[in-house]
mmCIF file of all heavy atoms in Angstrom:
data_model
loop_
_atom_site.group_PDB
_atom_site.id
_atom_site.type_symbol
_atom_site.label_atom_id
_atom_site.label_comp_id
_atom_site.label_asym_id
_atom_site.label_seq_id
_atom_site.Cartn_x
_atom_site.Cartn_y
_atom_site.Cartn_z
ATOM 1 N N GLN C 1 75.333 139.887 95.934
ATOM 2 C CA GLN C 1 76.435 140.661 96.109
ATOM 3 C C GLN C 1 77.458 140.784 95.012
ATOM 4 O O GLN C 1 77.466 139.774 94.204
ATOM 5 C CB GLN C 1 77.258 140.035 97.383
ATOM 6 C CG GLN C 1 76.435 139.997 98.771
ATOM 7 C CD GLN C 1 77.294 139.334 99.873
ATOM 8 O OE1 GLN C 1 78.035 138.406 99.652
ATOM 9 N NE2 GLN C 1 77.089 139.669 101.067
ATOM 10 N N PHE C 2 78.171 141.783 94.953
ATOM 11 C CA PHE C 2 79.340 141.898 94.034
ATOM 12 C C PHE C 2 80.572 142.374 94.763
ATOM 13 O O PHE C 2 80.383 143.175 95.740
ATOM 14 C CB PHE C 2 79.037 142.623 92.818
ATOM 15 C CG PHE C 2 78.680 144.036 92.914
ATOM 16 C CD1 PHE C 2 79.661 145.021 92.720
ATOM 17 C CD2 PHE C 2 77.464 144.556 93.270
ATOM 18 C CE1 PHE C 2 79.395 146.343 92.786
ATOM 19 C CE2 PHE C 2 77.129 145.810 93.439
ATOM 20 C CZ PHE C 2 78.065 146.754 93.125
ATOM 21 N N THR C 3 81.756 142.042 94.408
ATOM 22 C CA THR C 3 82.960 142.108 95.089
ATOM 23 C C THR C 3 83.976 142.760 94.261
ATOM 24 O O THR C 3 84.318 142.441 93.099
ATOM 25 C CB THR C 3 83.548 140.910 95.707
ATOM 26 O OG1 THR C 3 82.438 140.283 96.661
ATOM 27 C CG2 THR C 3 84.713 141.058 96.507
ATOM 28 N N LEU C 4 84.766 143.702 94.862
ATOM 29 C CA LEU C 4 85.937 144.333 94.264
ATOM 30 C C LEU C 4 87.242 143.752 94.937
ATOM 31 O O LEU C 4 87.226 143.667 96.083
ATOM 32 C CB LEU C 4 85.927 145.867 94.414
ATOM 33 C CG LEU C 4 87.221 146.528 94.187
ATOM 34 C CD1 LEU C 4 87.434 146.532 92.710
ATOM 35 C CD2 LEU C 4 87.241 147.946 94.724
ATOM 36 N N GLN C 5 88.123 143.326 94.130
ATOM 37 C CA GLN C 5 89.460 142.987 94.556
ATOM 38 C C GLN C 5 90.491 143.803 93.837
ATOM 39 O O GLN C 5 90.593 143.818 92.581
ATOM 40 C CB GLN C 5 89.804 141.494 94.370
ATOM 41 C CG GLN C 5 88.929 140.586 95.243
ATOM 42 C CD GLN C 5 89.483 139.136 95.264
ATOM 43 O OE1 GLN C 5 89.532 138.488 94.261
ATOM 44 N NE2 GLN C 5 89.918 138.738 96.501
ATOM 45 N N LEU C 6 91.313 144.561 94.590
ATOM 46 C CA LEU C 6 92.256 145.463 94.059
ATOM 47 C C LEU C 6 93.631 145.004 94.612
ATOM 48 O O LEU C 6 93.844 145.070 95.896
ATOM 49 C CB LEU C 6 92.053 146.939 94.385
ATOM 50 C CG LEU C 6 92.973 147.958 93.707
ATOM 51 C CD1 LEU C 6 92.909 147.978 92.334
ATOM 52 C CD2 LEU C 6 92.584 149.333 94.255
ATOM 53 N N MET C 7 94.512 144.435 93.721
ATOM 54 C CA MET C 7 95.758 143.905 94.193
ATOM 55 C C MET C 7 96.911 144.948 94.278
ATOM 56 O O MET C 7 96.804 146.068 93.716
ATOM 57 C CB MET C 7 96.247 142.819 93.234
ATOM 58 C CG MET C 7 95.388 141.576 93.332
ATOM 59 S SD MET C 7 93.743 141.728 92.584
ATOM 60 C CE MET C 7 94.135 141.662 90.871
ATOM 61 N N SER C 8 97.969 144.524 95.005
ATOM 62 C CA SER C 8 99.191 145.382 95.098
ATOM 63 C C SER C 8 98.789 146.819 95.421
ATOM 64 O O SER C 8 99.332 147.852 94.808
ATOM 65 C CB SER C 8 100.014 145.260 93.825
ATOM 66 O OG SER C 8 100.305 143.990 93.585
ATOM 67 N N VAL C 9 98.133 147.168 96.474
ATOM 68 C CA VAL C 9 97.702 148.529 96.695
ATOM 69 C C VAL C 9 98.731 149.282 97.290
ATOM 70 O O VAL C 9 99.804 148.768 97.826
ATOM 71 C CB VAL C 9 96.485 148.546 97.812
ATOM 72 C CG1 VAL C 9 95.247 147.815 97.243
ATOM 73 C CG2 VAL C 9 96.995 147.906 99.166
ATOM 74 N N THR C 10 98.782 150.672 97.031
ATOM 75 C CA THR C 10 99.739 151.643 97.452
ATOM 76 C C THR C 10 98.847 152.747 98.245
ATOM 77 O O THR C 10 97.582 152.770 98.145
ATOM 78 C CB THR C 10 100.372 152.329 96.305
ATOM 79 O OG1 THR C 10 99.557 153.226 95.590
ATOM 80 C CG2 THR C 10 100.944 151.171 95.335
ATOM 81 N N PRO C 11 99.548 153.605 98.844
ATOM 82 C CA PRO C 11 98.812 154.734 99.476
ATOM 83 C C PRO C 11 97.978 155.556 98.578
ATOM 84 O O PRO C 11 96.963 156.196 98.958
ATOM 85 C CB PRO C 11 100.002 155.566 100.041
ATOM 86 C CG PRO C 11 101.003 154.685 100.383
ATOM 87 C CD PRO C 11 100.947 153.591 99.267
ATOM 88 N N GLU C 12 98.225 155.488 97.257
ATOM 89 C CA GLU C 12 97.480 156.272 96.268
ATOM 90 C C GLU C 12 96.051 155.628 96.137
ATOM 91 O O GLU C 12 95.149 156.226 95.464
ATOM 92 C CB GLU C 12 98.180 156.427 94.946
ATOM 93 C CG GLU C 12 99.445 157.239 94.972
ATOM 94 C CD GLU C 12 100.067 157.454 93.646
ATOM 95 O OE1 GLU C 12 99.617 156.813 92.679
ATOM 96 O OE2 GLU C 12 101.012 158.301 93.545
ATOM 97 N N ASP C 13 95.880 154.455 96.607
ATOM 98 C CA ASP C 13 94.544 153.766 96.508
ATOM 99 C C ASP C 13 93.700 154.136 97.711
ATOM 100 O O ASP C 13 92.500 153.812 97.800
ATOM 101 C CB ASP C 13 94.718 152.202 96.500
ATOM 102 C CG ASP C 13 95.371 151.707 95.184
ATOM 103 O OD1 ASP C 13 94.900 152.240 94.101
ATOM 104 O OD2 ASP C 13 96.274 151.040 95.299
ATOM 105 N N THR C 14 94.203 154.975 98.613
ATOM 106 C CA THR C 14 93.379 155.454 99.889
ATOM 107 C C THR C 14 92.241 156.351 99.201
ATOM 108 O O THR C 14 92.450 157.344 98.402
ATOM 109 C CB THR C 14 94.212 156.290 100.664
ATOM 110 O OG1 THR C 14 95.179 155.441 101.385
ATOM 111 C CG2 THR C 14 93.418 157.008 101.790
ATOM 112 N N ALA C 15 91.035 156.025 99.687
ATOM 113 C CA ALA C 15 89.883 156.672 99.113
ATOM 114 C C ALA C 15 88.573 156.323 99.903
ATOM 115 O O ALA C 15 88.608 155.236 100.579
ATOM 116 C CB ALA C 15 89.698 156.398 97.537
ATOM 117 N N VAL C 16 87.566 156.972 99.712
ATOM 118 C CA VAL C 16 86.249 156.574 100.016
ATOM 119 C C VAL C 16 85.718 155.728 98.841
ATOM 120 O O VAL C 16 85.669 156.267 97.700
ATOM 121 C CB VAL C 16 85.293 157.616 100.446
ATOM 122 C CG1 VAL C 16 83.812 156.996 100.710
ATOM 123 C CG2 VAL C 16 85.803 158.416 101.604
ATOM 124 N N TYR C 17 85.275 154.495 98.933
ATOM 125 C CA TYR C 17 84.816 153.684 97.923
ATOM 126 C C TYR C 17 83.348 153.494 97.997
ATOM 127 O O TYR C 17 82.748 153.233 99.085
ATOM 128 C CB TYR C 17 85.451 152.273 98.022
ATOM 129 C CG TYR C 17 86.902 152.220 97.555
ATOM 130 C CD1 TYR C 17 87.902 152.753 98.379
ATOM 131 C CD2 TYR C 17 87.305 151.604 96.301
ATOM 132 C CE1 TYR C 17 89.215 152.649 97.990
ATOM 133 C CE2 TYR C 17 88.602 151.608 95.956
ATOM 134 C CZ TYR C 17 89.638 152.143 96.784
ATOM 135 O OH TYR C 17 90.874 152.129 96.348
ATOM 136 N N PHE C 18 82.663 153.705 96.857
ATOM 137 C CA PHE C 18 81.263 153.561 96.821
ATOM 138 C C PHE C 18 80.915 152.377 95.838
ATOM 139 O O PHE C 18 81.500 152.204 94.786
ATOM 140 C CB PHE C 18 80.555 154.759 96.280
ATOM 141 C CG PHE C 18 80.880 156.033 96.995
ATOM 142 C CD1 PHE C 18 81.970 156.843 96.863
ATOM 143 C CD2 PHE C 18 79.949 156.437 97.976
ATOM 144 C CE1 PHE C 18 82.250 157.952 97.614
ATOM 145 C CE2 PHE C 18 80.180 157.590 98.774
ATOM 146 C CZ PHE C 18 81.258 158.317 98.524
ATOM 147 N N CYS C 19 79.866 151.670 96.110
ATOM 148 C CA CYS C 19 79.180 150.823 95.066
ATOM 149 C C CYS C 19 77.831 151.555 94.678
ATOM 150 O O CYS C 19 77.241 152.153 95.385
ATOM 151 C CB CYS C 19 78.859 149.441 95.705
ATOM 152 S SG CYS C 19 77.956 149.202 97.096
ATOM 153 N N VAL C 20 77.644 151.460 93.402
ATOM 154 C CA VAL C 20 76.533 152.316 92.671
ATOM 155 C C VAL C 20 75.937 151.351 91.573
ATOM 156 O O VAL C 20 76.476 150.437 91.080
ATOM 157 C CB VAL C 20 77.102 153.554 92.225
ATOM 158 C CG1 VAL C 20 77.680 154.487 93.263
ATOM 159 C CG2 VAL C 20 78.329 153.412 91.136
ATOM 160 N N ARG C 21 74.829 151.859 91.138
ATOM 161 C CA ARG C 21 73.990 151.179 90.078
ATOM 162 C C ARG C 21 73.619 152.270 89.007
ATOM 163 O O ARG C 21 73.232 153.315 89.274
ATOM 164 C CB ARG C 21 72.700 150.600 90.602
ATOM 165 C CG ARG C 21 71.937 149.798 89.660
ATOM 166 C CD ARG C 21 70.487 149.697 90.260
ATOM 167 N NE ARG C 21 69.682 148.753 89.422
ATOM 168 C CZ ARG C 21 68.991 149.064 88.277
ATOM 169 N NH1 ARG C 21 69.129 150.351 87.771
ATOM 170 N NH2 ARG C 21 68.261 148.214 87.613
ATOM 171 N N ASP C 22 73.542 151.786 87.807
ATOM 172 C CA ASP C 22 72.974 152.537 86.728
ATOM 173 C C ASP C 22 72.279 151.444 85.726
ATOM 174 O O ASP C 22 72.594 150.362 85.814
ATOM 175 C CB ASP C 22 73.895 153.555 85.941
ATOM 176 C CG ASP C 22 74.819 152.729 84.994
ATOM 177 O OD1 ASP C 22 74.398 152.528 83.857
ATOM 178 O OD2 ASP C 22 75.946 152.298 85.387
ATOM 179 N N SER C 23 71.292 151.919 85.001
ATOM 180 C CA SER C 23 70.641 151.153 84.059
ATOM 181 C C SER C 23 70.855 151.578 82.581
ATOM 182 O O SER C 23 70.100 151.159 81.631
ATOM 183 C CB SER C 23 69.056 151.187 84.348
ATOM 184 O OG SER C 23 68.629 152.524 84.245
ATOM 185 N N LYS C 24 71.897 152.378 82.330
ATOM 186 C CA LYS C 24 72.175 152.911 80.960
ATOM 187 C C LYS C 24 73.218 152.117 80.347
ATOM 188 O O LYS C 24 73.095 151.758 79.081
ATOM 189 C CB LYS C 24 72.510 154.355 81.166
ATOM 190 C CG LYS C 24 72.933 154.995 79.767
ATOM 191 C CD LYS C 24 73.461 156.418 79.975
ATOM 192 C CE LYS C 24 73.919 157.120 78.729
ATOM 193 N NZ LYS C 24 74.321 158.454 79.003
ATOM 194 N N GLY C 25 74.360 151.803 80.991
ATOM 195 C CA GLY C 25 75.457 151.181 80.426
ATOM 196 C C GLY C 25 76.281 152.199 79.526
ATOM 197 O O GLY C 25 75.995 153.303 79.367
ATOM 198 N N GLY C 26 77.258 151.536 78.816
ATOM 199 C CA GLY C 26 78.113 152.400 77.901
ATOM 200 C C GLY C 26 79.489 151.833 77.816
ATOM 201 O O GLY C 26 79.881 150.858 78.441
ATOM 202 N N TYR C 27 80.236 152.480 77.032
ATOM 203 C CA TYR C 27 81.628 152.144 76.834
ATOM 204 C C TYR C 27 82.502 152.560 78.110
ATOM 205 O O TYR C 27 82.114 153.474 78.875
ATOM 206 C CB TYR C 27 82.334 152.732 75.557
ATOM 207 C CG TYR C 27 81.602 152.160 74.314
ATOM 208 C CD1 TYR C 27 80.714 152.946 73.582
ATOM 209 C CD2 TYR C 27 81.993 150.976 73.836
ATOM 210 C CE1 TYR C 27 80.204 152.425 72.470
ATOM 211 C CE2 TYR C 27 81.418 150.458 72.631
ATOM 212 C CZ TYR C 27 80.451 151.184 72.028
ATOM 213 O OH TYR C 27 79.861 150.674 70.872
ATOM 214 N N SER C 28 83.661 151.968 78.320
ATOM 215 C CA SER C 28 84.486 152.304 79.381
ATOM 216 C C SER C 28 84.827 153.795 79.390
ATOM 217 O O SER C 28 84.988 154.345 80.528
ATOM 218 C CB SER C 28 85.711 151.389 79.475
ATOM 219 O OG SER C 28 86.426 151.517 78.235
ATOM 220 N N TRP C 29 85.111 154.376 78.267
ATOM 221 C CA TRP C 29 85.529 155.768 78.190
ATOM 222 C C TRP C 29 84.375 156.708 78.600
ATOM 223 O O TRP C 29 84.639 157.807 79.143
ATOM 224 C CB TRP C 29 86.031 156.135 76.819
ATOM 225 C CG TRP C 29 85.194 155.829 75.598
ATOM 226 C CD1 TRP C 29 84.057 156.534 75.178
ATOM 227 C CD2 TRP C 29 85.271 154.620 74.845
ATOM 228 N NE1 TRP C 29 83.582 155.950 74.097
ATOM 229 C CE2 TRP C 29 84.285 154.658 73.839
ATOM 230 C CE3 TRP C 29 86.155 153.537 74.775
ATOM 231 C CZ2 TRP C 29 84.151 153.729 72.814
ATOM 232 C CZ3 TRP C 29 85.923 152.531 73.878
ATOM 233 C CH2 TRP C 29 84.970 152.675 72.956
ATOM 234 N N ASP C 30 83.184 156.267 78.403
ATOM 235 C CA ASP C 30 82.013 157.036 79.090
ATOM 236 C C ASP C 30 82.148 157.036 80.554
ATOM 237 O O ASP C 30 81.719 158.042 81.234
ATOM 238 C CB ASP C 30 80.757 156.482 78.582
ATOM 239 C CG ASP C 30 80.527 156.724 77.011
ATOM 240 O OD1 ASP C 30 80.770 157.787 76.565
ATOM 241 O OD2 ASP C 30 80.013 155.847 76.388
ATOM 242 N N TYR C 31 82.380 155.969 81.099
ATOM 243 C CA TYR C 31 82.436 155.775 82.531
ATOM 244 C C TYR C 31 83.708 156.582 83.041
ATOM 245 O O TYR C 31 83.600 157.327 84.072
ATOM 246 C CB TYR C 31 82.506 154.356 83.018
ATOM 247 C CG TYR C 31 81.074 153.673 83.013
ATOM 248 C CD1 TYR C 31 80.624 153.125 81.844
ATOM 249 C CD2 TYR C 31 80.365 153.546 84.103
ATOM 250 C CE1 TYR C 31 79.347 152.561 81.755
ATOM 251 C CE2 TYR C 31 79.121 152.907 84.167
ATOM 252 C CZ TYR C 31 78.629 152.462 82.898
ATOM 253 O OH TYR C 31 77.393 151.854 82.856
ATOM 254 N N GLU C 32 84.815 156.415 82.377
ATOM 255 C CA GLU C 32 86.093 157.109 82.852
ATOM 256 C C GLU C 32 85.944 158.690 82.643
ATOM 257 O O GLU C 32 86.497 159.409 83.564
ATOM 258 C CB GLU C 32 87.254 156.742 81.958
ATOM 259 C CG GLU C 32 87.588 155.178 82.280
ATOM 260 C CD GLU C 32 88.678 154.654 81.407
ATOM 261 O OE1 GLU C 32 88.929 155.294 80.311
ATOM 262 O OE2 GLU C 32 89.277 153.612 81.602
ATOM 263 N N ALA C 33 85.123 159.079 81.833
ATOM 264 C CA ALA C 33 84.949 160.618 81.662
ATOM 265 C C ALA C 33 83.807 161.161 82.538
ATOM 266 O O ALA C 33 83.619 162.284 82.593
ATOM 267 C CB ALA C 33 84.532 160.940 80.224
ATOM 268 N N GLY C 34 83.214 160.230 83.355
ATOM 269 C CA GLY C 34 82.123 160.775 84.267
ATOM 270 C C GLY C 34 80.859 161.052 83.610
ATOM 271 O O GLY C 34 80.099 161.897 84.094
ATOM 272 N N ARG C 35 80.526 160.556 82.480
ATOM 273 C CA ARG C 35 79.353 160.823 81.719
ATOM 274 C C ARG C 35 78.133 159.994 82.252
ATOM 275 O O ARG C 35 77.052 160.174 81.726
ATOM 276 C CB ARG C 35 79.507 160.676 80.334
ATOM 277 C CG ARG C 35 80.399 161.864 79.589
ATOM 278 C CD ARG C 35 80.296 161.580 78.138
ATOM 279 N NE ARG C 35 81.211 160.719 77.535
ATOM 280 C CZ ARG C 35 82.500 160.956 77.173
ATOM 281 N NH1 ARG C 35 82.910 162.252 77.291
ATOM 282 N NH2 ARG C 35 83.214 160.096 76.642
ATOM 283 N N ILE C 36 78.337 159.020 83.112
ATOM 284 C CA ILE C 36 77.341 158.271 83.665
ATOM 285 C C ILE C 36 76.746 158.715 84.938
ATOM 286 O O ILE C 36 77.526 159.017 85.832
ATOM 287 C CB ILE C 36 77.797 156.772 83.830
ATOM 288 C CG1 ILE C 36 78.371 156.168 82.558
ATOM 289 C CG2 ILE C 36 76.721 155.893 84.462
ATOM 290 C CD1 ILE C 36 77.447 156.050 81.400
ATOM 291 N N GLU C 37 75.430 158.812 84.974
ATOM 292 C CA GLU C 37 74.827 159.349 86.212
ATOM 293 C C GLU C 37 74.210 158.006 87.013
ATOM 294 O O GLU C 37 73.327 157.369 86.403
ATOM 295 C CB GLU C 37 73.798 160.231 86.017
ATOM 296 C CG GLU C 37 74.243 161.579 85.455
ATOM 297 C CD GLU C 37 73.161 162.706 85.445
ATOM 298 O OE1 GLU C 37 71.966 162.514 85.823
ATOM 299 O OE2 GLU C 37 73.570 163.794 84.967
ATOM 300 N N TYR C 38 74.622 157.847 88.220
ATOM 301 C CA TYR C 38 74.186 156.627 88.864
ATOM 302 C C TYR C 38 72.985 156.901 89.623
ATOM 303 O O TYR C 38 72.742 157.833 90.266
ATOM 304 C CB TYR C 38 75.347 156.160 89.810
ATOM 305 C CG TYR C 38 76.598 155.947 89.085
ATOM 306 C CD1 TYR C 38 77.720 156.875 89.257
ATOM 307 C CD2 TYR C 38 76.926 154.888 88.289
ATOM 308 C CE1 TYR C 38 78.912 156.765 88.563
ATOM 309 C CE2 TYR C 38 78.018 154.727 87.711
ATOM 310 C CZ TYR C 38 79.100 155.543 87.772
ATOM 311 O OH TYR C 38 80.216 155.459 87.024
ATOM 312 N N GLU C 39 72.120 155.828 89.596
ATOM 313 C CA GLU C 39 70.699 155.919 90.103
ATOM 314 C C GLU C 39 70.701 155.490 91.570
ATOM 315 O O GLU C 39 69.858 156.098 92.346
ATOM 316 C CB GLU C 39 69.814 154.990 89.368
ATOM 317 C CG GLU C 39 69.776 155.338 87.769
ATOM 318 C CD GLU C 39 69.155 154.144 86.944
ATOM 319 O OE1 GLU C 39 68.951 153.032 87.647
ATOM 320 O OE2 GLU C 39 68.951 154.450 85.835
ATOM 321 N N ARG C 40 71.554 154.751 92.056
ATOM 322 C CA ARG C 40 71.642 154.305 93.446
ATOM 323 C C ARG C 40 73.002 154.224 93.973
ATOM 324 O O ARG C 40 73.895 153.910 93.168
ATOM 325 C CB ARG C 40 71.035 152.859 93.544
ATOM 326 C CG ARG C 40 69.581 152.693 93.222
ATOM 327 C CD ARG C 40 68.708 153.273 94.303
ATOM 328 N NE ARG C 40 67.275 153.113 94.035
ATOM 329 C CZ ARG C 40 66.415 153.840 93.490
ATOM 330 N NH1 ARG C 40 66.915 154.942 92.724
ATOM 331 N NH2 ARG C 40 65.140 153.537 93.268
#
């Protein structure tokens, strides 16, 4: 298992949350830009 903890939440944190997997990896800016395609 892996776990997310998000502190001091506000209504702007309202969302559908997904856990996903990829086998490519990359820098954080690649993930932030949506360049990663998740396999699961």
Side-chain angles (χ1 to χ4, degrees):
Q1 296 176 330
F2 63 102
T3 298
L4 167 69
Q5 289 195 300
L6 184 63
M7 290 74 75
S8 302
V9 299
T10 75
E12 292 186 352
D13 294 311
T14 294
V16 177
Y17 285 74
F18 301 88
C19 56
V20 296
R21 179 201 192 278
D22 76 90
S23 58
K24 178 181 177 182
Y27 294 103
S28 61
W29 51 86
D30 293 317
Y31 282 82
E32 292 175 345
R35 287 191 278 267
I36 304 297
E37 294 189 1
Y38 304 105
E39 302 161 353
R40 295 286 190 272

